[in-house]
Every structure is written in C-alpha cells, then in structure tokens.
Amino acid sequence: MAVGKVTFTKAEREKLAEVLWLLNWISVVTGAILFGLGLFLKVEIQKWQEVMSEQGVLYVPHMLITTGLAACGINFLGAKICLDCADTNKFLRWKLAMMPYVVCTFFFTACVLAGALMCYGIRSQLEESLFLGLRNTMSHYKDTDMPGRCYLKRTLDMLQIQFQCCGNSGYRDWFQVQWISSRYLDMTSSSVVDRLRSNVEGKYLMEGVPFSCCSTLSPRPCIQQQLSSPSAHFNYDEQSQQQNLWGRGCRQALLDHYTGIMQSIGLTVLLIWLFELLVLTGVRYLQTAMENVLRLGDPESESEGWILENSLAETARSNFNIIKNLGKCYQVDDDPNINIPTAAGEQEVPSQQVQVPVTC
C-alpha cells in the first residue's frame, strides 16, 4: 500500500510544477542565507580563536557553508526540472535523472538538519575548548617579548574589557599563574626572591589581577593587589569585590556569547530544513505522478502520486534485499578446494578410434 497517495489531474500537475519551480528558486535564496550564516559564524569564531584550544569548532561553519553552496546548486537544477515536468514530452528528458535527483535532495535535506542539530549540540565541546584555550593564554600573558605569543596579552586584555569578565572562571584564576614578566621583577628585592623561592616551579605568584579586570562601575579606585588581605586597604570589604572587579569569568562570557549566536543560527537552519522538506515532498509527488502518466499513456488522464510506493516496512525490506544481493555479487568463495581438479577428472579418457572406410 502506497504511503501518502494523492490523485492529480493534468491541471493540478501543471500547477504543482509551477509552484515547485517558484519554491526551488526561493530555496536558492535560502541556500545563500545558509552560506552567509556559515561565513558569519566562522568570522565570529575566528575573532577569539586565540583563546580557544586547537580542537576548535570550525567544522560547524564549514558544514553550513558547504550545505549552503550545495543548496544553491541542487535547487537551481530543481527549478529547471520542475519547469520541464509540466509538459509530458519534456519530462521524458529527466525521467531517468529524477530518482537520483530525489535521492540527492533527500541526503542534502538530512545534511541541513544535521547542521541545525550541530548548532544546538556544540555547547559542551565549545566550553571545553574555551577552558583549555583560556588557561593556556593566561599562562602566556607575561610573554610580551616572545615571538608568536607577544600578542596574547593584548588579546586577553581586550577580551576582559569588551566582555566585562576576568580570568577563566573568575578573578581568582589569576592567583594561580605568573602574569608579570620576569623583566619587570626587581631581583634585588628580598621579598621578590623569597616569593620566587617559595614556589616549587619558581613562579612569581601573587594575589593580584591585570588592569583589564577592573570594573568601570567601581565606586572607588581599582584595587588590583593583595585582594585577599582586607587589612592592606582602607575601608576594604572582600565580599564586595564584584563592585571592584568584573565578577564573571571569560569562559562563561564567551560561552553565553557563542551560545546565543548558535541558537539563533540553529533556529534559522531548522526553519530552512522544514522548507526544504516541503520542497522535497512536492518534487516526489510530481515525479511519481508524471511517471504514472507515462504508464497510462494518456497525458490528459488523472494519475496518482505518492511519497513511498509501498509501506515503510516493505520499502525497508526491499532495500535491505537489494543491499544483500549486491553483497552476494561481490562475495569471494573461500573454499580451499575450489578450482582443484578431482581424481576422476585427472584420469585420461581413452579416445575411441573411428574407422573411416577408404574408397578406391
């Protein structure tokens, strides 16, 4: 029993072909939108790629860019096919190409759905990438005179100022790294030497943060040093540090930023997928209706169109049998006795002498 069977008159088939021609051109535009969204996401990720680990998340924008380009090409071809399918004679040109086109469109539509799901499912990987990347960047904050790393201080300062954040998870993360270059340490000072010797790794650790952690909303001059020593500052309350320094970590700030972008793009891609699914369904109905017209031999008659000629179970069973038979075609016989002549075959068959009468 066919799934989704619908009967079409000649006028309805022509109308369906015209509507699908228009929808395919709209799909070309949606493909361009997919391509643009992929480029936008790639640019946004590359803005702060320096504070991400090498794992990265660029495969998502690459997926959207590739899918967008494929959408433009497939739907451009689909518009031409649907326009010709309004005429039975022109349909004969595309009869053999229709089924491969529908299959390709189906897989393309599945890729659009995969792109939408990637946008929603990438949060955990993005968080891990930001955690590792920010930790690495903070450890090289002091390397302003080292080639290849001299720009990291500026990048991290701009990040903390622009997103109003501090550290990886919070301002206390700076207490665990040496963020002041050894060039600016007074090695003649006994306090500096004692602090270096007190650390197993020889790092100059301090309870302080860079200037970019200072909040512009602070009612007093920013306190950057001795943050855990209330007695070191006048009228200082450690519990009110959120008024003095940015309280949110940069990992959470960037994660919220990219999550908002991903969710907006994911919703747009999901709507495009629903639209492409509608177009694919219409093309399938047009294909089957036109093929049935050719079987009937009367272009003016009504014809039936469907999504699946048989039920889902029968279609799955048929496809499984096809794949199974294809596997048998390429199966190699592993019988060790194959092509080995038998003992009976090795015996020589005596030839019979035929007497030919000789005439004089």
Side-chain angles (χ1 to χ4, degrees):
M1 180 179 177
V3 177
K5 184 186 294 186
V6 178
T7 302
F8 296 92
T9 63
K10 180 184 178 182
E12 289 172 344
R13 290 194 299 269
E14 292 176 350
K15 188 67 176 178
L16 177 62
E18 293 174 358
V19 171
L20 287 174
W21 172 80
L22 178 61
L23 292 181
N24 272 283
W25 276 111
I26 296 176
S27 294
V28 173
V29 178
T30 60
I33 293 174
L34 272 178
F35 178 78
L37 290 175
L39 282 181
F40 170 74
L41 183 58
K42 183 176 182 180
V43 171
E44 283 295 317
I45 291 177
Q46 286 181 336
K47 282 182 180 179
W48 303 107
Q49 195 173 12
E50 296 165 355
V51 297
M52 298 183 186
S53 67
E54 295 181 358
Q55 301 174 4
V57 288
L58 283 177
Y59 67 89
V60 177
H62 289 164
M63 177 71 170
L64 295 178
I65 291 172
T66 305
T67 306
L69 291 175
C72 293
I74 290 175
N75 290 298
F76 179 80
L77 177 61
K80 173 63 177 174
I81 292 175
C82 292
L83 184 63
D84 288 347
C85 284
D87 186 354
T88 307
N89 295 325
K90 291 183 178 179
F91 174 75
L92 291 173
R93 304 183 208 165
W94 301 102
K95 183 176 182 299
L96 296 177
M98 280 297 291
M99 193 59 191
Y101 171 76
V102 171
V103 172
C104 290
T105 307
F106 173 78
F107 283 107
F108 152 72
T109 307
C111 289
V112 176
L113 177 61
L117 296 178
M118 283 181 183
C119 291
Y120 286 104
I122 200 176
R123 180 182 173 90
S124 59
Q125 184 177 353
L126 178 62
E127 184 174 8
E128 179 68 16
S129 177
L130 288 171
F131 174 76
L132 297 176
L134 282 168
R135 186 177 64 180
N136 181 66
T137 305
M138 290 174 62
S139 66
H140 297 299
Y141 181 86
K142 66 182 184 301
D143 300 333
T144 55
D145 56 346
M146 186 175 296
R149 297 175 180 173
C150 55
Y151 59 88
L152 292 179
K153 178 183 182 300
R154 179 181 181 277
T155 299
L156 203 49
D157 284 334
M158 291 298 299
L159 172 66
Q160 294 188 143
I161 293 173
Q162 181 174 336
F163 285 89
Q164 298 182 352
C165 58
C166 183
N168 196 330
S169 302
Y171 72 90
R172 290 184 177 274
D173 293 332
W174 288 107
F175 299 175
Q176 311 301 321
V177 297
Q178 179 181 340
W179 54 272
I180 298 179
S181 175
S182 299
R183 292 190 305 164
Y184 305 108
L185 296 178
D186 185 7
M187 303 305 296
T188 61
S189 173
S190 59
S191 61
V192 173
V193 175
D194 291 342
R195 187 179 292 271
L196 289 172
R197 290 176 178 175
S198 63
N199 185 264
V200 177
E201 299 179 359
K203 295 181 179 179
Y204 185 80
L205 303 182
M206 56 183 297
E207 295 178 348
V209 296
F211 78 96
S212 52
C213 282
C214 293
S215 171
T216 56
L217 305 177
S218 176
R220 64 178 296 167
C222 184
I223 297 176
Q224 300 174 244
Q225 311 293 334
Q226 297 179 321
L227 295 175
S228 299
S229 302
S231 59
H233 311 283
F234 176 74
N235 196 19
Y236 176 78
D237 181 11
E238 186 181 0
Q239 301 300 324
S240 63
Q241 268 302 109
Q242 64 270 19
Q243 297 180 359
N244 183 64
L245 304 175
W246 300 122
R248 185 171 60 160
C250 291
R251 171 162 51 96
Q252 188 62 43
L254 279 175
L255 188 62
D256 293 343
H257 172 70
Y258 283 121
T259 299
I261 294 176
M262 294 283 193
Q263 288 179 349
S264 300
I265 292 178
L267 178 60
T268 305
V269 177
L270 197 60
L271 293 176
I272 292 176
W273 171 73
L274 292 174
F275 183 78
E276 293 291 345
L277 194 62
L278 174 65
V279 175
L280 174 61
T281 304
V283 171
R284 177 61 175 164
Y285 272 120
L286 181 62
Q287 174 212 355
T288 53
M290 294 302 296
E291 288 179 351
N292 288 330
V293 167
L294 294 179
R295 292 192 185 100
L296 296 172
D298 183 9
E300 303 295 329
S301 64
E302 294 183 349
S303 63
E304 293 181 341
W306 51 68
I307 298 176
L308 293 175
E309 187 173 0
N310 301 311
S311 65
L312 290 173
E314 292 175 354
T315 303
R317 191 180 305 111
S318 175
N319 291 333
F320 176 77
N321 290 333
I322 292 174
I323 295 173
K324 187 177 180 181
N325 292 331
L326 287 175
K328 288 182 178 180
C329 293
Y330 295 97
Q331 185 175 2
V332 179
D333 195 344
D334 296 330
D335 187 358
N337 297 322
I338 192 170
N339 294 330
I340 297 179
T342 60
E346 293 177 352
Q347 297 178 358
E348 295 183 358
V349 179
S351 60
Q352 297 180 355
Q353 296 180 355
V354 180
Q355 295 182 355
V356 180
V358 178
T359 57
C360 298

Short mmCIF file of all heavy atoms in Angstrom, two decimals, residues 165-190:
data_model
loop_
_atom_site.label_atom_id
_atom_site.label_comp_id
_atom_site.label_asym_id
_atom_site.label_seq_id
_atom_site.Cartn_x
_atom_site.Cartn_y
_atom_site.Cartn_z
N CYS A 165 34.73 40.70 31.82
CA CYS A 165 34.97 39.45 32.52
C CYS A 165 36.39 39.45 33.07
O CYS A 165 37.19 40.35 32.76
CB CYS A 165 34.78 38.26 31.58
SG CYS A 165 35.85 38.29 30.11
N CYS A 166 36.72 38.45 33.87
CA CYS A 166 38.05 38.38 34.48
C CYS A 166 38.42 36.92 34.70
O CYS A 166 37.65 36.18 35.33
CB CYS A 166 38.07 39.14 35.80
SG CYS A 166 39.72 39.20 36.58
N GLY A 167 39.57 36.52 34.19
CA GLY A 167 40.05 35.16 34.39
C GLY A 167 39.28 34.14 33.58
O GLY A 167 38.48 34.47 32.70
N ASN A 168 39.54 32.89 33.88
CA ASN A 168 38.86 31.79 33.19
C ASN A 168 37.47 31.57 33.79
O ASN A 168 36.46 31.73 33.12
CB ASN A 168 39.71 30.52 33.30
CG ASN A 168 39.30 29.45 32.31
OD1 ASN A 168 38.14 29.35 31.93
ND2 ASN A 168 40.24 28.63 31.90
N SER A 169 37.45 31.23 35.07
CA SER A 169 36.17 31.08 35.78
C SER A 169 35.87 32.26 36.69
O SER A 169 34.73 32.44 37.12
CB SER A 169 36.19 29.79 36.60
OG SER A 169 36.42 28.66 35.78
N GLY A 170 36.89 33.04 37.03
CA GLY A 170 36.74 34.18 37.92
C GLY A 170 38.09 34.84 38.15
O GLY A 170 39.13 34.36 37.68
N TYR A 171 38.10 35.95 38.88
CA TYR A 171 39.34 36.71 39.05
C TYR A 171 40.40 35.94 39.84
O TYR A 171 41.60 36.19 39.71
CB TYR A 171 39.05 38.06 39.72
CG TYR A 171 38.68 37.99 41.18
CD1 TYR A 171 39.65 38.07 42.18
CD2 TYR A 171 37.35 37.87 41.58
CE1 TYR A 171 39.32 38.02 43.51
CE2 TYR A 171 37.01 37.82 42.91
CZ TYR A 171 37.99 37.89 43.88
OH TYR A 171 37.66 37.83 45.22
N ARG A 172 40.00 34.97 40.66
CA ARG A 172 40.97 34.20 41.44
C ARG A 172 41.85 33.29 40.57
O ARG A 172 42.87 32.79 41.05
CB ARG A 172 40.25 33.38 42.50
CG ARG A 172 39.66 34.22 43.62
CD ARG A 172 39.05 33.35 44.71
NE ARG A 172 38.55 34.18 45.80
CZ ARG A 172 39.31 34.59 46.83
NH1 ARG A 172 40.58 34.23 46.88
NH2 ARG A 172 38.79 35.34 47.77
N ASP A 173 41.47 33.07 39.32
CA ASP A 173 42.31 32.25 38.44
C ASP A 173 43.67 32.91 38.20
O ASP A 173 44.66 32.20 37.93
CB ASP A 173 41.61 32.03 37.09
CG ASP A 173 40.37 31.18 37.22
OD1 ASP A 173 40.32 30.35 38.16
OD2 ASP A 173 39.43 31.33 36.41
N TRP A 174 43.71 34.22 38.30
CA TRP A 174 44.99 34.93 38.10
C TRP A 174 45.96 34.67 39.25
O TRP A 174 47.16 34.89 39.11
CB TRP A 174 44.75 36.43 37.95
CG TRP A 174 44.13 36.80 36.63
CD1 TRP A 174 42.86 37.20 36.40
CD2 TRP A 174 44.79 36.80 35.36
NE1 TRP A 174 42.66 37.45 35.06
CE2 TRP A 174 43.83 37.23 34.40
CE3 TRP A 174 46.09 36.49 34.93
CZ2 TRP A 174 44.14 37.34 33.05
CZ3 TRP A 174 46.38 36.61 33.58
CH2 TRP A 174 45.42 37.02 32.66
N PHE A 175 45.45 34.22 40.40
CA PHE A 175 46.32 33.93 41.52
C PHE A 175 47.20 32.69 41.27
O PHE A 175 48.21 32.51 41.93
CB PHE A 175 45.50 33.68 42.80
CG PHE A 175 44.66 34.85 43.24
CD1 PHE A 175 43.79 34.73 44.32
CD2 PHE A 175 44.73 36.07 42.58
CE1 PHE A 175 43.01 35.81 44.74
CE2 PHE A 175 43.93 37.15 42.98
CZ PHE A 175 43.08 37.01 44.06
N GLN A 176 46.79 31.85 40.28
CA GLN A 176 47.47 30.58 40.04
C GLN A 176 48.51 30.66 38.92
O GLN A 176 49.17 29.66 38.64
CB GLN A 176 46.43 29.50 39.67
CG GLN A 176 45.25 29.42 40.62
CD GLN A 176 45.67 29.12 42.03
OE1 GLN A 176 46.60 28.32 42.25
NE2 GLN A 176 45.00 29.74 43.00
N VAL A 177 48.65 31.81 38.27
CA VAL A 177 49.60 31.95 37.16
C VAL A 177 50.48 33.17 37.40
O VAL A 177 50.07 34.14 38.07
CB VAL A 177 48.87 32.09 35.80
CG1 VAL A 177 48.08 30.85 35.48
CG2 VAL A 177 47.98 33.34 35.78
N GLN A 178 51.68 33.11 36.87
CA GLN A 178 52.56 34.28 36.90
C GLN A 178 52.24 35.12 35.67
O GLN A 178 52.57 34.76 34.55
CB GLN A 178 54.04 33.87 36.88
CG GLN A 178 54.99 35.09 36.88
CD GLN A 178 56.45 34.69 36.84
OE1 GLN A 178 56.80 33.57 37.17
NE2 GLN A 178 57.31 35.61 36.42
N TRP A 179 51.60 36.25 35.89
CA TRP A 179 51.20 37.09 34.76
C TRP A 179 52.07 38.34 34.63
O TRP A 179 51.85 39.15 33.72
CB TRP A 179 49.73 37.47 34.88
CG TRP A 179 49.34 38.12 36.18
CD1 TRP A 179 48.95 37.52 37.31
CD2 TRP A 179 49.30 39.53 36.45
NE1 TRP A 179 48.66 38.43 38.30
CE2 TRP A 179 48.86 39.69 37.78
CE3 TRP A 179 49.57 40.69 35.70
CZ2 TRP A 179 48.70 40.93 38.38
CZ3 TRP A 179 49.40 41.92 36.29
CH2 TRP A 179 48.98 42.03 37.61
N ILE A 180 53.06 38.49 35.49
CA ILE A 180 54.02 39.59 35.39
C ILE A 180 55.33 39.02 34.85
O ILE A 180 55.87 38.05 35.38
CB ILE A 180 54.25 40.26 36.76
CG1 ILE A 180 52.95 40.88 37.27
CG2 ILE A 180 55.34 41.33 36.65
CD1 ILE A 180 53.09 41.54 38.62
N SER A 181 55.85 39.63 33.80
CA SER A 181 57.10 39.16 33.20
C SER A 181 58.27 39.35 34.17
O SER A 181 58.32 40.32 34.94
CB SER A 181 57.37 39.91 31.90
OG SER A 181 58.63 39.56 31.37
N SER A 182 59.21 38.41 34.11
CA SER A 182 60.39 38.48 34.99
C SER A 182 61.24 39.71 34.70
O SER A 182 62.03 40.14 35.55
CB SER A 182 61.24 37.22 34.81
OG SER A 182 60.50 36.06 35.18
N ARG A 183 61.08 40.31 33.54
CA ARG A 183 61.82 41.54 33.20
C ARG A 183 61.46 42.69 34.12
O ARG A 183 62.25 43.62 34.32
CB ARG A 183 61.53 41.96 31.75
CG ARG A 183 62.08 41.01 30.69
CD ARG A 183 61.95 41.64 29.32
NE ARG A 183 60.58 42.04 29.04
CZ ARG A 183 60.24 42.87 28.05
NH1 ARG A 183 61.18 43.41 27.29
NH2 ARG A 183 58.98 43.17 27.83
N TYR A 184 60.25 42.64 34.66
CA TYR A 184 59.77 43.75 35.48
C TYR A 184 59.80 43.42 36.97
O TYR A 184 59.17 44.11 37.78
CB TYR A 184 58.34 44.13 35.05
CG TYR A 184 58.24 44.44 33.58
CD1 TYR A 184 57.61 43.56 32.71
CD2 TYR A 184 58.83 45.59 33.04
CE1 TYR A 184 57.53 43.84 31.35
CE2 TYR A 184 58.75 45.87 31.69
CZ TYR A 184 58.11 44.99 30.86
OH TYR A 184 58.04 45.25 29.50
N LEU A 185 60.51 42.35 37.33
CA LEU A 185 60.67 42.00 38.74
C LEU A 185 62.03 42.49 39.24
O LEU A 185 63.05 42.30 38.57
CB LEU A 185 60.56 40.48 38.92
CG LEU A 185 59.21 39.84 38.58
CD1 LEU A 185 59.29 38.33 38.77
CD2 LEU A 185 58.10 40.43 39.44
N ASP A 186 62.04 43.12 40.39
CA ASP A 186 63.28 43.61 41.00
C ASP A 186 63.94 42.46 41.74
O ASP A 186 63.57 42.13 42.87
CB ASP A 186 62.95 44.77 41.95
CG ASP A 186 64.22 45.39 42.53
OD1 ASP A 186 65.33 45.02 42.10
OD2 ASP A 186 64.08 46.26 43.43
N MET A 187 64.92 41.84 41.07
CA MET A 187 65.56 40.68 41.65
C MET A 187 66.48 41.03 42.83
O MET A 187 66.96 40.13 43.53
CB MET A 187 66.36 39.93 40.58
CG MET A 187 65.52 39.50 39.38
SD MET A 187 64.08 38.50 39.84
CE MET A 187 64.86 37.07 40.53
N THR A 188 66.70 42.32 43.05
CA THR A 188 67.49 42.74 44.21
C THR A 188 66.64 42.83 45.46
O THR A 188 67.17 42.97 46.57
CB THR A 188 68.15 44.09 43.95
OG1 THR A 188 67.15 45.09 43.73
CG2 THR A 188 69.06 44.01 42.72
N SER A 189 65.33 42.76 45.29
CA SER A 189 64.43 42.83 46.44
C SER A 189 64.32 41.46 47.09
O SER A 189 64.08 40.45 46.42
CB SER A 189 63.05 43.32 45.98
OG SER A 189 62.12 43.25 47.03
N SER A 190 64.49 41.43 48.39
CA SER A 190 64.42 40.15 49.12
C SER A 190 63.01 39.56 49.08
O SER A 190 62.84 38.34 49.05
CB SER A 190 64.86 40.35 50.56
OG SER A 190 64.04 41.32 51.21
#
